[in-house]
Amino acid sequence: MAKNTMELFEDEAPEVAAAFNNLIMAVVKRPALDAKTKQLIYIAMKAAMGDDSAVKAHIPMAKAAGGDP
């Protein structure tokens, strides 16, 4: 099975991928951001990485948190 972009990223640049994941976790943990904003940021970051499976998984979460369809 072909690897998605994130899997390739982790294989090719594990240190950078780990830093990227730490950035995502830092955004998620920010208390000043509401759930909708966190989901939309996460979707944007994963879309920029080409991680379609993560984008598809988080769209329903963003909608549930009040994001527009």
Side-chain angles (χ1 to χ4, degrees):
M1 182 174 199
K3 291 183 178 184
N4 68 35
T5 305
M6 193 63 192
E7 290 170 330
L8 290 172
F9 183 36
E10 289 169 345
D11 287 347
E12 297 295 323
E15 300 86 9
V16 179
F20 181 74
N21 284 330
N22 288 337
L23 172 62
I24 292 170
M25 294 312 298
V27 168
V28 169
K29 290 179 183 177
R30 295 290 305 162
L33 299 175
D34 61 30
K36 176 183 79 172
T37 302
K38 289 176 184 181
Q39 286 296 327
L40 294 174
I41 290 170
Y42 189 82
I43 289 168
M45 293 172 77
K46 288 299 190 171
M49 291 298 305
D51 190 349
D52 295 339
S53 60
V55 171
K56 289 176 187 174
H58 283 270
I59 287 173
M61 292 182 230
K63 287 181 179 180
D68 288 322

